[in-house]
């Protein structure tokens, strides 16, 4: 397959007056290519037509510190909220259907949120049951749910469609089947389970019951995954010099955020996202989630405020959500 190329669609999002999103944590598309964007500050789900026209919004007062949004084959919407340690299922218009986890109650994993250094905070994790600050969810073709439990745990949990825990696997570490911040998960049509092992700078690949198959180490701090039409889309977070990767050690050079497009064997077909200025349209500041629609258009969400603006690395109000089309 020839190398793919993408360009940003400037001005795509028609954000309603009075709305803001300093952080966008993810997006998903329904069967009609409507785009559901989940935001963190003023936590809600914002729905757009494919052309960026605003449709509706919901989730205010229910969602807290959001992290991911996904669709089931039945059109149901699933959200991950690491603020209240839950995975929730909604109708497309926001009516609640199911809650996994106990609202506001974290499982005992040894995680110490009072540790200031993010690397050392993750190193405090010993592992445990669901959930302690979960990060991602995906619905497998057979209806099972896979959840990455990442910020306060180091495991992948598998549930039945009705919310019963089937199994869990993983522990802190850098060896196969070990994790340091499992940040997202996707199940491909061939039943392979892809896990974005963020702070280990790799994607781990498992069978449907958690048997380790392979790992890809040619990615950088992967945050989001999407598998569609034979392609794997990966959002990859900025490494700032002086930060520490569990697998690579201390980072010695600036490594800007980017998007990689891979084939199903892991071959890189495209990489893009840095045009010389992080705040320029088409560049990335803090890529956090990614999804593709039926046309192959990409939607990339960024946690710009949490990761960069709050630390003075970019101006407050810099871009947090962008659409890209193939050229």
């Amino acid at each position: 397959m020839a190398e793919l190329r993408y360009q940003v669609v400037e001005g795509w999002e028609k954000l309603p007056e009075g709305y803001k999103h300093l952080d966008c944590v993810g997006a998903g598309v329904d069967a009609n290519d409507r785009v559901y964007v989940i935001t963190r500050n003023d936590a809600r789900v914002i729905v757009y037509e494919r052309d960026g026209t605003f449709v509706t919004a919901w989730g205010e007062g229910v969602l807290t510190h959001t992290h991911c949004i996904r669709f089931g084959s039945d059109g149901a919407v699933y959200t991950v909220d690491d603020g209240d340690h839950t995975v929730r299922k909604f109708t497309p218009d926001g009516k609640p259907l199911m809650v996994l986890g106990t609202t506001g109650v974290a499982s005992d994993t040894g995680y110490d949120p009072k540790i200031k250094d993010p690397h050392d905070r993750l190193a405090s994790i010993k592992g445990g049951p669901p959930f302690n600050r979960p990060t991602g969810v995906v619905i497998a073709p057979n209806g099972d749910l896979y959840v990455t439990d990442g910020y306060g745990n180091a495991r992948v949990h598998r549930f039945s469609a009705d919310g019963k825990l089937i199994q869990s696997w993983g522990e802190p570490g850098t060896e196969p089947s070990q994790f340091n911040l499992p940040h997202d998960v996707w199940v491909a049509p061939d039943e392979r389970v892809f896990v974005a092992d963020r702070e280990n700078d790799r994607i781990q690949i498992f069978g449907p019951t958690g048997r380790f198959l392979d790992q890809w180490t040619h990615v950088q701090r992967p945050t989001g995954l999407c598998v569609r039409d034979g392609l794997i889309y990966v959002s990859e977070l900025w490494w700032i010099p002086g930060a520490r990767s569990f697998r690579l050690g201390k980072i010695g050079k600036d490594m800007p955020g980017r998007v990689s497009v891979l084939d199903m064997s892991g071959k890189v077909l495209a990489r893009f996202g840095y045009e010389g200025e992080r705040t320029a349209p088409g560049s990335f500041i803090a890529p956090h989630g990614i999804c593709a629609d039926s046309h192959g258009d990409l939607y990339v969400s960024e946690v710009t405020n949490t990761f960069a603006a709050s630390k003075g690395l970019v101006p407050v109000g810099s871009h947090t959500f962008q659409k890209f089309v193939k050229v």
Side-chain angles (χ1 to χ4, degrees):
M1 183 180 291
E3 183 176 349
L4 301 172
R5 297 179 61 244
Y6 295 84
Q7 70 178 22
V8 68
V9 182
E10 293 189 52
W12 174 84
E13 184 184 18
K14 283 75 172 179
L15 189 66
E17 185 176 352
Y19 280 52
K20 63 180 179 180
H21 46 60
L22 299 177
D23 284 330
C24 285
V25 297
V29 295
D30 68 11
N32 297 312
D33 284 333
R34 275 187 168 178
V35 184
Y36 287 61
V37 181
I38 187 166
T39 64
R40 179 173 290 165
N41 307 86
D42 299 331
R44 58 167 64 99
V45 174
I46 306 174
V47 186
Y48 296 100
E49 299 290 2
R50 185 169 174 265
D51 65 0
T53 302
F54 173 78
V55 177
T56 189
W58 51 264
E60 298 92 339
V62 177
L63 303 173
T64 65
H65 196 271
T66 57
H67 206 272
C68 179
I69 186 168
R70 289 279 151 73
F71 276 88
S73 60
D74 60 354
V77 180
Y78 295 78
T79 65
V80 178
D81 197 322
D82 72 286
D84 73 355
H85 314 287
T86 62
V87 175
R88 296 177 183 271
K89 180 180 181 181
F90 298 92
T91 64
D93 57 356
K95 294 182 176 62
L97 297 174
M98 181 174 68
V99 180
L100 301 182
T102 302
T103 301
V105 178
S107 63
D108 183 7
T109 65
Y111 172 71
D112 185 353
K114 295 187 289 296
I115 297 174
K116 290 184 178 181
D117 182 86
H119 183 280
D120 294 342
R121 197 162 56 238
L122 286 175
S124 72
I125 295 169
K126 304 297 187 293
F131 295 116
N132 194 319
R133 301 195 65 196
T135 50
V137 63
V138 72
I139 300 82
N142 69 352
D144 288 352
L145 280 73
Y146 291 80
V147 179
T148 45
D149 203 4
Y151 278 106
N153 206 348
R155 310 204 84 185
V156 176
H157 308 292
R158 177 182 167 216
F159 295 85
S160 64
D162 60 357
K164 293 182 174 63
L165 181 64
I166 299 172
Q167 67 172 132
S168 301
W169 75 87
E171 61 184 4
T174 57
E175 296 300 315
S177 299
Q178 296 179 335
F179 303 106
N180 280 301
L181 215 175
H183 199 269
D184 200 9
V185 58
W186 199 283
V187 181
D190 62 10
E191 296 189 325
R192 284 185 295 169
V193 181
F194 293 81
V195 177
D197 189 7
R198 195 185 95 174
E199 299 301 280
N200 282 332
D201 290 275
R202 65 183 177 181
I203 294 171
Q204 293 199 63
I205 306 169
F206 302 91
T209 59
R211 181 173 64 90
F212 175 80
L213 301 176
D214 199 2
Q215 62 179 352
W216 295 343
T217 59
H218 62 329
V219 294
Q220 167 189 314
R221 217 177 185 188
T223 51
L225 297 170
C226 175
V227 179
R228 183 156 189 167
D229 299 328
L231 296 174
I232 303 172
Y233 304 96
V234 188
S235 56
E236 301 173 68
L237 190 60
W238 179 9
W239 269 125
I240 298 171
R244 290 179 287 167
S245 162
F246 280 89
R247 192 174 62 82
L248 302 179
K250 188 174 181 179
I251 302 301
K253 64 176 183 178
D254 188 83
M255 301 167 66
R258 66 188 186 187
V259 162
S260 293
V261 183
L262 316 175
D263 68 14
M264 296 304 292
S265 70
K267 179 183 177 182
V268 178
L269 303 178
R271 262 190 180 138
F272 64 95
Y274 185 60
E275 305 300 330
E277 172 54 56
R278 268 178 259 274
T279 58
S283 286
F284 295 126
I285 300 166
H288 190 268
I290 190 167
C291 68
D293 68 14
S294 66
H295 299 262
D297 297 348
L298 302 183
Y299 300 89
V300 182
S301 53
E302 301 183 75
V303 287
T304 301
N305 185 67
T306 295
F307 189 81
S310 64
K311 302 170 185 175
L313 299 174
V314 299
V316 174
S318 298
H319 58 67
T320 61
F321 191 68
Q322 300 185 85
K323 176 174 179 171
F324 295 81
V325 295
K326 286 187 289 188
V327 295

